[in-house]
Amino acid sequence: MNTTVNPGLLGRLNLRRVLEVLQQHGPQSRADVMRRSGVSAPTVSKAVDSLLKSGLLEEGEAAGAALGRPARVLRLASKSVRVLGLVLDARICSLVSSGLDGTFEERDARTFPTPGSYRRLIDRAARCASELMVGSGAQTLGVGISMPGLIDRRSGEGVLSPNLHVTDGRAPGRDLAAKLGVECVVRQESHALCLAEGLWGAAKGLSDFAMLDASTGLGLGVMSGGRLLEGAAGFAGELGHLTIDPKGRTCGCGNNGCLETVATDSALSRLVSERLRRTLDIDGVIRLFRSGKVHAQDTLDQRVDYLAIAAAAVINVFNPSTLLVHARLFEAQDGLFAQLLDRLARRALRPSLADCRILQARASKRQGALAGIVHHLMESTAPRLAWPQ
Ligand SMILES: [Zn+2]
């Protein structure tokens, strides 16, 4: 047995522990970091100094500190440094700026209709990013990009994006980095959402969970033993392109009757639009349902049923402790999420379902984009190490 301890690895483990404590419990004193991390005072001090130097942590006064000598707290850097999150999506792209804690002001977000050409997409995104970078007055550590479709994680290139074909064969991370002069990291949108839920959402601190995204497309992010399952090239999680109706509608991937053509917010929007003979997005569809101005209960019920089939597949295949479902269509009517749970009881294997907590996801795609860069910065500084279970 090899009992040699590599001091480099040990040091990284300590950095990681300090980051995780601050990530999970928020700003706190050095004494609290030491207590929660279970690491000795000199070791915590060394790790904290190193993280302060790297720019990932900052020291400041506690919020709401009483009069007298203000308490000093450590926190993930949010004033001295910023990160940007860019969401590339089928219709609307958006960009936000945050600290490493992932919080951002909605009013500062930039949005623009997705341009029809790749060059215009990159130019527009770069222009918005430059404005946010200059406006923040802080150092920008990098940009996280949330993108739909298959992305080759080795090259950062989009390979096939059924809902955003302009990125096929393109590397927006590389092209934006060349324009902005900061690191830009692309993440598949469902993987990005999964990271966001783990950092800031309903799965905070969990190491085994799955995130099913049924908004524009249908994709899956799975965290297993604290690691995101990406597959050999980064293409894992494309549950949406499983055939559910061989004679169904042609999907953006070229196949027929894919799950994402029937089980998503966009499927609901399309079907209601066809029924009413006018184009509606999911916001418009939700408004119509809530105001009782559309009678399409069967259309809504079928979406929930297909979504239950997708969720059952995730539960049966991956046995997650928690499954988060990201979809807007639940807002169309009260009780739809309960309806999903009810249908899942029939669709999923009972022991696997009994082991799984099912919740509505909290994180947005913007948080997903931010999580992509925050996770990257943390992994670059203090990678999570794989230990035998
Ligand atoms: Zn497909």
Side-chain angles (χ1 to χ4, degrees):
M1 195 171 107
N2 181 4
T3 53
T4 310
V5 176
N6 180 335
L9 288 184
L10 198 56
R12 272 165 32 203
L13 263 185
N14 292 329
L15 294 179
R16 183 84 200 183
R17 190 71 200 117
V18 169
L19 284 174
E20 282 174 353
V21 165
L22 288 164
Q23 183 69 59
Q24 282 174 31
H25 302 282
Q28 58 200 284
S29 67
R30 283 185 189 234
D32 284 339
V33 173
M34 196 175 69
R35 183 174 56 78
R36 288 199 167 103
S37 65
V39 180
S40 73
T43 306
V44 164
S45 283
K46 199 171 157 194
V48 164
D49 289 345
S50 167
L51 290 167
L52 285 169
K53 209 179 289 175
S54 73
L56 293 187
L57 293 194
E58 61 191 21
E59 212 160 14
E61 288 172 16
L67 288 174
R69 193 175 163 202
R72 303 284 290 169
V73 291
L74 290 168
R75 62 178 173 234
L76 294 177
S78 57
K79 293 197 164 58
S80 50
V81 300
R82 306 293 288 173
V83 287
L84 301 186
L86 168 64
V87 177
L88 302 182
D89 215 339
R91 293 179 51 251
I92 304 283
C93 296
S94 64
L95 195 70
V96 290
S97 164
S98 86
L100 301 182
D101 57 2
T103 55
F104 60 88
E105 294 290 340
E106 194 66 38
R107 63 172 182 269
D108 296 334
R110 302 281 199 279
T111 59
F112 55 92
T114 307
S117 84
Y118 180 73
R119 190 180 57 76
R120 281 190 289 127
L121 174 69
I122 292 299
D123 286 348
R124 188 74 195 269
R127 212 162 49 238
C128 289
S130 298
E131 286 168 17
L132 286 177
M133 286 165 73
V134 171
S136 78
Q139 185 196 355
T140 301
L141 292 183
V143 182
I145 304 169
S146 158
M147 194 165 107
L150 300 182
I151 299 155
D152 191 321
R153 67 172 176 172
R154 299 160 296 198
S155 63
E157 277 185 20
V159 178
L160 171 70
S161 184
N163 300 309
L164 191 65
H165 278 299
V166 292
T167 57
D168 291 352
R170 307 288 194 158
R174 192 177 58 210
D175 296 336
L176 263 184
K179 283 181 179 286
L180 299 174
V182 297
E183 195 167 19
C184 299
V185 177
V186 179
R187 281 283 185 177
Q188 202 280 340
E189 62 180 5
S190 304
H191 296 175
L193 274 174
C194 188
L195 293 175
E197 290 291 352
L199 284 173
W200 307 307
K204 193 168 168 177
L206 299 182
S207 53
D208 287 275
F209 66 94
M211 212 295 312
L212 177 64
D213 171 24
S215 49
T216 311
L218 192 143
L220 180 67
V222 177
M223 193 70 81
S224 179
R227 284 186 178 277
L228 186 65
L229 297 183
E230 293 182 283
F235 301 161
E238 292 294 332
L239 182 65
H241 300 286
L242 192 82
T243 309
I244 194 158
D245 177 5
K247 292 183 180 157
R249 181 189 179 87
T250 304
C251 176
C253 73
N255 185 22
N256 284 86
C258 288
L259 199 45
E260 86 168 26
T261 65
V262 292
T264 52
D265 291 344
S266 26
L268 178 66
S269 306
R270 191 193 69 243
L271 289 162
V272 173
S273 299
E274 284 170 5
R275 199 149 165 160
L276 299 180
R277 296 193 182 148
R278 61 187 167 108
T279 307
L280 290 159
D281 61 11
I282 188 66
D283 288 304
V285 169
I286 290 167
R287 268 197 303 275
L288 281 184
F289 271 106
R290 295 225 69 104
S291 63
K293 287 182 183 158
V294 61
H295 300 285
Q297 195 60 43
D298 52 339
T299 305
L300 196 51
D301 288 346
Q302 283 160 11
R303 291 329 102 207
V304 176
D305 206 13
Y306 281 125
L307 200 44
I309 291 171
V314 179
I315 291 168
N316 292 355
V317 173
F318 293 104
N319 181 211
S321 69
T322 301
L323 170 64
L324 304 163
V325 184
H326 181 90
R328 300 275 318 278
L329 61 85
F330 299 119
E331 297 167 36
Q333 236 167 41
D334 293 343
L336 286 179
F337 196 72
Q339 194 175 318
L340 173 79
L341 299 182
D342 187 52
R343 296 195 181 181
L344 252 178
R346 276 182 289 139
R347 300 278 183 210
L349 290 170
R350 208 165 302 148
S352 312
L353 184 62
D355 244 6
C356 186
R357 199 166 56 123
I358 300 149
L359 303 170
Q360 278 188 261
R362 289 188 206 154
S364 63
K365 287 189 183 181
R366 290 170 179 183
Q367 286 174 306
L370 291 167
I373 184 67
V374 170
H375 179 265
H376 172 78
L377 292 169
M378 288 190 175
E379 285 292 312
S380 315
T381 309
R384 188 184 172 103
L385 302 173
W387 295 102
Q389 299 281 314

